Amino acid sequence: MSVLNLNTSISYLKSVGPNRAELLKTELGINTFNDLLNFYPNRYIDRTQFFKINQLQQNSSEIQLIGKITLVKSVQQKQGSRLVATFVDESGTMELVWFRGAKWIKESLKINTPYVIFGKSNYFNGMYTIPHPEMELLSDYKKNLRTAMQAVYPSTEKLNNKGISNRVVSKIIQTLFEELQGTFQETLSLNIIGQYQFISKNEALFNIHFPKNQELLTKAQQRLKFEELFFIQMQLIRKNMIHKSKIKGFNFEKVGTYFNTFYKEKLPFELTNAQKRVLKEIRKDLGSNAQMNRLLQGDVGSGKTIVALLTMLIALDNGFQAAFMAPTEILATQHYNSLIALLEGMNVNVKLLTGSTKTAERRLLHKQLEQGELHILIGTHALIEDKVIFKNLGIAIIDEQHRFGVEQRSKLWRKNELPPHILVMTATPIPRTLAMSVYGDLDASVIDELPPGRKEIVTAHRYDAHRLSVFKFLKEEIAKGGQVYIVYPLINESETMDYKDLMDGYESIVREFPRPTYQVSIVHGKMKSEDKEFEMQRFIKGETHIMVATTVIEVGVDVPNASVMVIESAERFGLSQLHQLRGRVGRGADQSYCILMTSFKLTSDAKTRIETMVQTSDGFEIAEVDLALRGPGNLMGTQQSGVLDLKIADIIKDHQLLKNARSIAMNLLKNDPNLSLEEHKPIKIAYQEISKKSTLWANIS
Ligand code: ADP
Ligand code: MG
């Protein structure tokens, strides 16, 4: 058989033609034979079952009947007319109704001829009716390919209105199968097929459209899901391999005096095993001649900052500069202060650059940077402005990466001949399956262990009505020397309602916690940055007892003495945000608390979120719940990925298949990077075909 070209336009298909082709294209994005083959049904219905009219019940779903039309009449109504046909079988009478296309339907209907009709029945004025039924002459019905499971395809109103019903689509696909004689090239290797007992590509495609029985349908779905996930993983992993072999990076050969002195003399604690492991992974990358492109995940409080610092010191040891970028000014300032403290007595020049850095300071900084006198530059987005020129930037570390766009990240290394190594750090745990899909082309490290001696944060849910007892508790904590955060939701920085809540809240707090016994700070996005910084510093130094804030403190801020986090209107926050906020406490040796305040009325999702927070403090577990609640497309950083536009697989439900697909793809590419072995030929051909069309989003590079 000649291999028919799957890229042929569907307009060449008998039963399609230019008009239908255009509609299928605009409505469903189907252009080619291949698109049509991969246009999978979203459900299946049993079409071997027939009902009798006297068996119909109100609210029955889609049903199938055999009978005859005895009478057709047009009924005039306000807009146009409606066509009503009387339909009978040996058990009773019902009506078929059309509101559109009455004229040509009337002409095509045959009286007293057996039909098979299919549709959703309504009960109306003592009579069952089916609006716009699908109809087929019984004689044709018997001739056609018929299976127990009839595919139901996604459709649109426009297609339905233009008469391209499900039956028509099914028919078109049937013609396609006849045309192609059901011979499709295998796309997996015999090895994989054998290992998972997959059915062939041929059988899978046939059964996904025309399942012979439930068992074969399930097998078809398994095989096609695997295949979809497998080829995405192949692309991601291959991208990573190509990146490593093509993109040269600075070779940091040695670990020298900066690192060693710091490690031996300045490190205030012993690193956790997880920190040590991650550091090893990073060091290996840095000495590999390729550009490091690594994602570092670590729950809040797991100690990413020290890893960042040690990594930067390796760059310094090799004569390079380092940049450390944070999403907010508060956070950048905090990193700056803690690095300065940690590096005290060492000869390292560290500077801070943010939007509020004064011009004179800025000039000096630019100069030192260009001459290589400045070793480490910490800052916000200000770091990527064109005026900021490094002498030799060796590594860029980006904290809380989801706050930066792809565009901004890549700007950092347009400043060099060779790209600097990149370490992206995030405290938003990404569920494993999602990480595999969205960041599958990055190397990933995880700090999965908290520093020793941390006490589990006690988390409680309280209704607004119990505010007084919460205040009483806060007073006790403050009396013991603790400090308190009270956070208000600020969903939209410009929303005046939210500000009113915040300011009202602040006033009532000040009333409840009067000066001079108590001191209260406030920080929000509308404040000038020096005022913000001033208030932050008062709290950090322990001069104030309570910090009333919006989510500007969500990321990174580290005040070990703060032991209570109160979150107002907690039902308005997402899970990952709640988790981030809670991570602001529990950093010191004392027992810490998180109190989630809500109103009495909660949606079921909000209830789940609050309950999850009360039950667990494991960021990965929380991320899994978040994924289940919101779906993969709504989580941080996934929107633009394209990796999640899956046709048949579901990264949550099919996570086991995904893991298998990834590990198989990984092994395969390790042993045969160019797919040149004979047994991998089918994979190679399919891979080339897929990657031609693929628009997989470039994560970092
Ligand atoms: P995050 O990962 O959230 O950025 P940080 O780097 O801010 O966490 O670290 C949280 C706190 O834990 C800091 O006060 C830090 O000094 C401390 N810390 C980090 N690593 C260790 C360790 N190995 N042992 C003890 N304390 C540590
Ligand atoms: Mg941090």
Side-chain angles (χ1 to χ4, degrees):
M1 190 204 91
S2 70
V3 180
L4 251 157
N5 187 356
L6 288 178
N7 291 323
T8 310
S9 159
I10 51 167
S11 57
Y12 291 100
L13 202 58
K14 189 176 68 176
S15 79
V16 177
N19 288 343
R20 279 182 169 178
E22 187 58 31
L23 270 172
L24 288 169
K25 181 175 159 186
T26 53
E27 293 296 294
L28 299 172
I30 298 173
N31 293 305
T32 63
F33 284 7
N34 199 45
D35 294 341
L36 195 54
L37 270 179
N38 296 317
F39 179 58
Y40 302 136
N42 49 13
R43 61 196 177 90
Y44 299 84
I45 43 177
D46 187 348
R47 301 239 9 208
T48 53
Q49 278 252 19
F50 287 95
F51 278 81
K52 296 272 177 252
I53 292 174
N54 68 359
Q55 293 173 325
L56 294 187
Q57 287 177 348
Q58 294 184 32
N59 307 323
S60 69
S61 58
E62 285 154 315
I63 43 149
Q64 186 169 240
L65 306 121
I66 297 178
K68 294 175 185 174
I69 290 172
T70 52
L71 183 75
V72 182
K73 60 177 190 250
S74 296
V75 180
Q76 284 307 316
Q77 45 185 38
K78 271 183 216 140
Q79 290 149 346
S81 65
R82 146 171 76 102
L83 189 70
V84 181
T86 308
F87 183 78
V88 302
D89 67 6
E90 64 275 17
S91 77
T93 301
M94 65 182 298
E95 284 180 344
L96 311 177
V97 188
W98 291 266
F99 301 96
R100 298 174 303 265
K103 195 163 161 282
W104 71 265
I105 288 168
K106 188 173 182 180
E107 282 162 15
S108 64
L109 289 179
K110 295 201 167 81
I111 304 289
N112 283 324
T113 316
Y115 272 106
V116 174
I117 65 160
F118 178 80
K120 240 178 134 122
S121 69
N122 293 332
Y123 188 73
F124 188 67
N125 271 348
M127 176 76 92
Y128 281 100
T129 66
I130 297 185
H132 290 255
E134 284 189 18
M135 315 195 42
E136 196 174 6
L137 288 173
L138 182 62
S139 50
D140 288 344
Y141 176 90
K142 286 183 174 156
K143 270 188 252 157
N144 274 331
L145 182 68
R146 208 45 71 177
T147 55
M149 314 279 189
Q150 166 103 32
V152 180
Y153 293 91
S155 187
T156 67
E157 201 181 325
K158 190 159 178 197
L159 284 178
N160 279 327
N161 288 347
K162 299 274 180 184
I164 305 187
S165 63
N166 191 59
R167 194 164 60 87
V168 171
V169 173
S170 191
K171 183 87 199 165
I172 291 172
I173 293 176
Q174 196 183 324
T175 350
L176 178 64
F177 271 85
E178 282 158 12
E179 198 88 359
L180 297 173
Q181 298 173 10
T183 306
F184 305 107
Q185 302 221 346
E186 186 48 68
T187 48
L188 295 176
S189 66
L190 290 176
N191 221 330
I192 298 177
I193 292 177
Q195 186 177 346
Y196 288 96
Q197 311 259 299
F198 284 138
I199 56 176
S200 70
K201 177 84 180 186
N202 244 335
E203 270 186 291
L205 277 177
F206 185 82
N207 279 286
I208 204 77
H209 292 290
F210 308 103
K212 287 186 187 134
N213 52 48
Q214 182 59 52
E215 196 196 336
L216 275 167
L217 173 58
T218 308
K219 285 192 166 166
Q221 286 168 328
Q222 284 298 101
R223 141 112 216 194
L224 294 173
K225 283 174 178 182
F226 176 88
E227 190 174 330
E228 178 169 43
L229 296 168
F230 173 74
F231 281 105
I232 290 175
Q233 290 302 323
M234 288 286 286
Q235 290 177 79
L236 292 172
I237 295 165
R238 204 136 187 280
K239 199 165 128 196
N240 180 303
M241 290 171 77
I242 291 170
H243 184 101
K244 282 196 181 136
S245 64
K246 283 226 183 100
I247 314 244
K248 292 267 161 287
F250 299 119
N251 196 10
F252 293 177
E253 283 162 0
K254 57 172 192 244
V255 170
T257 320
Y258 284 117
F259 184 97
N260 287 327
T261 308
F262 181 82
Y263 203 92
K264 287 189 201 117
E265 295 170 19
K266 305 282 174 187
L267 195 61
F269 37 67
E270 166 140 35
L271 293 185
T272 62
N273 287 329
Q275 285 170 322
K276 286 181 191 161
R277 187 190 64 234
V278 164
L279 210 56
K280 268 199 202 114
E281 289 165 354
I282 293 171
R283 270 175 60 179
K284 193 162 164 243
D285 283 0
L286 296 177
S288 73
N289 276 316
Q291 184 214 14
M292 174 169 79
N293 212 355
R294 188 169 281 277
L295 174 71
L296 172 57
Q297 287 192 72
D299 214 339
V300 277
S302 62
K304 295 184 291 295
T305 318
I306 202 80
V307 172
L309 174 57
L310 286 162
T311 304
M312 292 193 286
L313 292 178
I314 300 177
L316 268 53
D317 278 336
N318 288 274
F320 288 93
Q321 294 169 303
F324 191 4
M325 190 153 78
T328 65
E329 202 163 328
I330 290 180
L331 196 52
T333 310
Q334 173 141 358
H335 280 326
Y336 174 75
N337 291 332
S338 55
L339 257 55
I340 290 281
L342 284 164
L343 291 168
E344 207 195 311
M346 286 187 63
N347 194 12
V348 180
N349 187 358
V350 185
K351 288 230 151 59
L352 175 69
L353 176 64
T354 68
S356 38
T357 305
K358 299 273 183 311
T359 319
E361 172 68 17
R362 215 175 256 262
R363 258 191 223 124
L364 175 69
L365 189 151
H366 284 171
K367 195 170 133 242
Q368 288 193 350
L369 203 58
E370 278 182 67
Q371 293 176 348
E373 288 160 28
L374 183 51
H375 299 115
I376 296 178
L377 181 60
I378 301 175
T380 53
H381 290 83
L383 289 198
I384 53 177
E385 283 167 15
D386 291 332
K387 291 168 291 193
V388 182
I389 300 161
F390 291 83
K391 178 165 184 247
N392 56 356
L393 179 62
I395 183 157
I397 299 184
I398 303 171
D399 199 12
E400 310 298 348
Q401 57 88 27
H402 59 257
R403 307 256 162 157
F404 286 103
V406 182
E407 181 72 4
Q408 290 166 325
R409 279 180 273 173
S410 58
K411 249 188 157 176
L412 255 178
W413 61 89
R414 284 194 210 122
K415 297 182 180 299
N416 263 4
E417 299 153 53
L418 273 186
H421 297 293
I422 301 286
L423 181 66
V424 165
M425 308 202 296
T426 177
T428 311
I430 306 167
R432 263 177 64 73
T433 49
L434 194 62
M436 270 181 215
S437 318
V438 179
Y439 296 105
D441 59 336
L442 292 190
D443 296 305
S445 294
V446 182
I447 305 183
D448 50 7
E449 178 188 358
L450 293 181
R454 294 275 168 80
K455 290 207 182 77
E456 180 103 350
I457 300 165
V458 174
T459 302
H461 174 206
R462 292 285 179 273
Y463 293 111
D464 292 337
H466 302 129
R467 188 170 301 277
L468 284 181
S469 69
V470 172
F471 284 160
K472 186 163 160 276
F473 173 73
L474 299 184
K475 283 179 181 162
E476 287 163 16
E477 278 299 302
I478 292 170
K480 282 194 245 162
Q483 286 172 288
V484 176
Y485 291 105
I486 302 180
V487 177
Y488 286 81
L490 203 60
I491 307 306
N492 181 345
E493 288 276 325
S494 64
E495 240 171 64
T496 34
M497 254 310 280
D498 287 340
Y499 272 103
K500 190 170 174 311
D501 285 354
L502 174 73
M503 295 322 287
D504 288 354
Y506 174 68
E507 273 158 31
S508 72
I509 297 291
V510 171
R511 231 177 294 127
E512 190 66 32
F513 295 84
R515 286 185 202 110
T517 319
Y518 299 101
Q519 297 292 332
V520 183
S521 290
I522 180 165
V523 169
H524 59 75
K526 279 192 180 169
M527 285 163 71
K528 282 211 212 97
S529 47
E530 54 221 61
D531 295 344
K532 255 194 272 186
E533 183 50 30
F534 177 76
E535 289 287 298
M536 268 321 285
Q537 285 305 329
R538 289 212 306 151
F539 189 67
I540 291 169
K541 288 186 204 136
E543 292 168 12
T544 59
H545 304 103
I546 299 178
M547 163 65 77
V548 174
T550 60
T551 48
V552 291
I553 60 146
E554 178 191 343
V555 280
V557 175
D558 189 24
V559 182
N561 193 49
S563 59
V564 187
M565 165 66 63
V566 178
I567 305 177
E568 293 283 349
S569 305
E571 69 270 34
R572 292 178 61 190
F573 290 90
L575 257 180
S576 71
Q577 233 180 351
L578 290 172
H579 180 62
Q580 287 283 319
L581 284 170
R582 179 169 58 183
R584 297 309 106 214
V585 296
R587 304 193 145 226
D590 295 331
Q591 176 63 55
S592 294
Y593 304 88
C594 175
I595 304 171
L596 307 169
M597 305 290 300
T598 73
S599 65
F600 212 65
K601 259 198 181 150
L602 293 177
T603 64
S604 84
D605 272 13
K607 250 187 219 137
T608 309
R609 290 197 296 268
I610 305 283
E611 276 164 16
T612 305
M613 287 296 293
V614 171
Q615 273 160 21
T616 180
S617 53
D618 178 335
F620 281 92
E621 207 177 312
I622 290 171
E624 295 287 350
V625 176
D626 204 21
L627 181 61
L629 283 180
R630 295 201 292 162
N634 290 317
L635 297 194
M636 294 288 194
T638 60
Q639 282 89 344
Q640 331 155 46
S641 102
V643 172
L644 297 171
D645 295 335
L646 300 175
K647 277 191 185 343
I648 186 164
D650 175 324
I651 65 156
I652 302 175
K653 293 193 191 119
D654 303 318
H655 66 274
Q656 192 53 50
L657 268 182
L658 170 60
K659 281 181 204 162
N660 296 347
R662 181 160 177 91
S663 87
I664 294 232
M666 198 89 93
N667 275 328
L668 197 135
L669 285 172
K670 210 163 81 195
N671 298 325
D672 184 15
N674 294 315
L675 301 174
S676 38
L677 293 179
E678 185 59 28
E679 57 178 304
H680 295 150
K681 206 171 166 194
I683 297 178
K684 183 172 190 162
I685 294 171
Y687 180 86
Q688 284 168 340
E689 198 60 32
I690 289 169
S691 24
K692 252 190 260 162
K693 291 175 201 146
S694 172
T695 52
L696 277 194
W697 170 51
N699 258 317
I700 294 285
S701 36

